[in-house]
Amino acid sequence: MATAVTSQAGAGLDRLREKMDKAGLAALLLTSPGGRRYALGSAPGLADGAAVLVTADGTVASAADGDLTTAVAAALHAGGVADGAVGVDASGPWEVGPAGIRLRPAADLLFAELASYEPGELPAVAAAAELSAVGYTAVMDHLCAGMDVRELSGNVDRSIRRAGGLLGWYDPYGTDGRHGGDATDDRAAGSDLVTVRGHDPATARLIAGTPVRYVLHPLLAGVAGYAAASAVLGKPDGPLRAAGDACAAATAALLAALRPGEPLRGGYEAFDREAAGHTATCRIVTLRGGAAAPPLPRDSAVVAQPGMVLGVRTQVAVPGGGAVELAETVVVTASGASPQALTPLRLVELY
């Protein structure tokens, strides 16, 4: 049986509750890791089979169980929701017990809330992004063919911690090997502050000519840093160079499309146009709550507004294996997207 806990919503959820009320929602059901973390902060027990319910009248109910359906039912019961519309931040297999409850998609509502920062919060975003820049330098200062990837991740870990970074949030990207190359080629190594790909899985050593991709994800005072870069040890061959050029151009197009007053999905559309002819993916995520929050839906109606903070991540696969991968922390300003980590948004060639 699921164990449910209730509490009163803190001031940090007031704006979210106002948006819920305007949308006519009696409650908001959060089952994504980012949504749950935003509602509960660093509270323990955020297992996969966990559900958090935020009601419009200020109750926060959380429940955990091995079965998510059971946890959802327990959270609804604990929150006292017996009828009305309940927004959901992610689709799920659950069935709602009380006949009067209606589930409504609310991914856009949650995304807009998690992306919107007050002016006083933005310096913390810039400071967390700067930690990613520290991590980038720690990688580039040591990268060489034959290096053990575990030593590389240790160098990054020490450098970021010396700069004030704390334990990161685990980056779930690519765990099934579907994001460029086969499952063996895409195997990850690293720490809680950096995830690295591009090494020989049998020896854990970096390979000349193979794209080395790494994602930096430190935390500073609870704020997520976010960046990724790709490098090649030696001269890239034709397919790798083409993938690098395509990823750089498509990423630039995506960032240029993030203009105030324009739908954020325009970033996806710009990326797809520029990357046409390549096997490419991109996603736009929110960083409040960690980048494990659901990405922006491709049919989203969320409009870019000054003060939004986004994680932008792009990838172009290299024929034959591997990929070029880039990511950046972006603040939407009155004039457009402002990158914060400032890692190179191109394939870096090291000779």
Side-chain angles (χ1 to χ4, degrees), residues 22 58 88 140 152 176 185 199 211 219 228 319 336:
K22 290 180 180 178
V88 292
M140 288 304 176
L152 172 61
D176 57 3
D185 174 73
H199 54 285
L219 283 177

Side-chain angles (χ1 to χ4, degrees), residues 127-142 151-169 190-196 214-221 223-228 341 343:
E130 178 62 25
L131 284 181
S132 294
V134 170
Y136 171 80
T137 301
V139 172
M140 288 304 176
D141 281 354
H142 298 90
E151 181 183 350
L152 172 61
S153 64
N155 290 336
V156 176
D157 204 303
R158 286 189 295 273
S159 295
I160 291 179
R161 289 177 193 278
R162 281 198 297 265
L166 303 175
L167 293 178
W169 36 267
S191 70
D192 56 0
L193 300 178
V194 61
T195 303
V196 188
Y214 50 96
V215 184
L216 299 153
H217 35 85
L219 283 177
L220 180 64
V223 179
Y226 191 65
T343 57

Side-chain angles (χ1 to χ4, degrees), residues 16 46 49 54 63 93 98 117 137 140 149 151 177 188 193-194 201 209 216 233 272 276 281 295 308 315 324 336:
L16 176 61
L46 298 180
V54 181
Y117 285 64
T137 301
M140 288 304 176
V149 71
E151 181 183 350
L193 300 178
V194 61
L216 299 153
L233 301 167
D272 291 343
T281 59
M308 283 187 168
Q315 184 174 276
V324 175

Side-chain angles (χ1 to χ4, degrees), residues 211 213 230 240 243-244 247 314-318 322-326 346-347:
R213 304 131 59 198
S230 294
L240 176 54
C247 196
T314 62
Q315 184 174 276
V316 173
V318 180
V324 175
E325 181 176 358
L326 306 171
R346 57 178 172 79
L347 176 66

